[in-house]
Amino acid sequence: MSDHKPPAPASVPLGGSISRAQDHAFLHRLIRTLDTAHPAPDRLAASLLARFGSAGMALSAHVGGLDEVAGREALVPPLLAVAREAALRLYRSRVRRTDVLAGRKGLEAYLQACMGHEVIEQFRVLFLDGACHLLADDLMGTGTVNHSPVYPREIMRRALQLGAEKLVLAHNHPAGRPEPSGADIEMTMRIAQIGKMMGVVVHDHIIVGNRRTHSFRAMGLIA
């Protein structure tokens, strides 16, 4: 019988900070649990931190990126993907009960966890109530590495169905910098105008990429 203990549940913290040493210890325990025969869990934990920056970002990484670090024949990448899904489910259950998405820091941390390492562009919409509790996180479109179709009418139809009062638009730039393009700004303004007529506020639009984020609200593009 193995003498090591299972790791604590994987989740992204809603407050406070975690040191690099704590991240390393967590990844080390997680790797030992997922693959008891792994020859060098300590070295792999260090490599994951060097590549992705934190345990949370390693868990949110695409399987292809994990393969590059751990090797394509390793058991760890697909099992980490399962751990990631469990962590995101836990994270979503927590943000449904709090107003953490009301603040830019919590909002950006959540979106980095969801889509920070996706290799295909995604367009997501977070539907919120008046207190910024999460009602739904919907993937509204996927595209190539640099394009994702957006349909404002579908977004508003879903908002009315959920009784949402606020929206956060989000998409990633897998192949480039997270600064908004002219098309990004035009699309956001169009959704905001439609939302205003329907009593639904576009709270922000966050672009995720290269471990960085850009907030339309912080840039003054959304009042």
Side-chain angles (χ1 to χ4, degrees):
M1 180 180 295
S2 173
D3 61 355
H4 66 270
K5 298 180 180 179
S11 64
V12 182
L14 296 181
S17 61
I18 294 178
S19 71
R20 193 172 183 85
Q22 289 172 313
D23 268 352
H24 184 278
F26 169 75
L27 286 173
H28 182 270
R29 295 197 308 271
L30 184 60
I31 292 164
R32 288 183 62 200
T33 300
L34 295 176
D35 183 1
T36 57
H38 195 282
D42 191 69
R43 185 167 67 240
L44 178 55
S47 297
L48 289 170
L49 283 178
R51 170 66 181 273
F52 300 111
S54 71
M57 293 302 288
L59 280 174
S60 69
H62 192 271
V63 172
L66 294 170
D67 282 342
E68 293 176 5
V69 178
R72 294 187 178 277
E73 302 303 318
L75 293 174
V76 170
L79 294 176
L80 279 178
V82 175
R84 175 203 178 192
E85 181 60 26
L88 286 176
R89 286 174 182 268
L90 175 61
Y91 202 177
R92 288 191 182 108
S93 73
R94 295 175 73 184
V95 299
R96 289 179 194 276
R97 302 190 303 271
T98 70
D99 63 351
V100 67
L101 298 183
R104 180 182 168 191
K105 184 176 180 180
L107 180 59
E108 291 182 352
Y110 174 76
L111 290 170
Q112 280 283 4
C114 290
M115 59 199 304
H117 283 288
E118 291 294 334
V119 297
I120 300 297
E121 185 161 323
Q122 297 183 346
F123 183 83
R124 311 181 76 93
V125 180
L126 309 186
F127 298 89
L128 311 176
D129 66 13
C132 289
H133 297 146
L134 182 68
L135 300 174
D137 172 358
D138 287 3
L139 179 61
M140 303 296 291
T142 59
T144 62
V145 294
N146 59 6
H147 177 70
S148 177
V150 178
Y151 303 101
R153 284 180 295 182
E154 293 300 317
I155 294 171
M156 290 304 155
R157 183 178 294 116
R158 179 66 167 149
L160 292 176
Q161 178 187 31
L162 292 165
E165 297 181 42
K166 299 180 181 181
L167 306 177
V168 174
L169 314 177
H171 76 281
N172 59 323
H173 283 179
R177 297 168 61 86
E179 287 81 1
S181 66
D184 293 335
I185 296 171
E186 180 182 356
M187 175 268 293
T188 303
M189 296 303 103
R190 186 166 70 251
I191 294 174
Q193 288 172 357
I194 296 172
K196 186 175 182 179
M197 291 186 293
M198 302 176 68
V200 179
V201 175
V202 175
H203 179 69
D204 207 343
H205 185 165
I206 304 292
I207 302 178
V208 179
N210 294 338
R211 301 187 192 178
R212 297 168 54 208
T213 56
H214 270 261
S215 160
F216 277 46
R217 176 173 289 274
M219 296 171 66
L221 297 173
I222 292 177

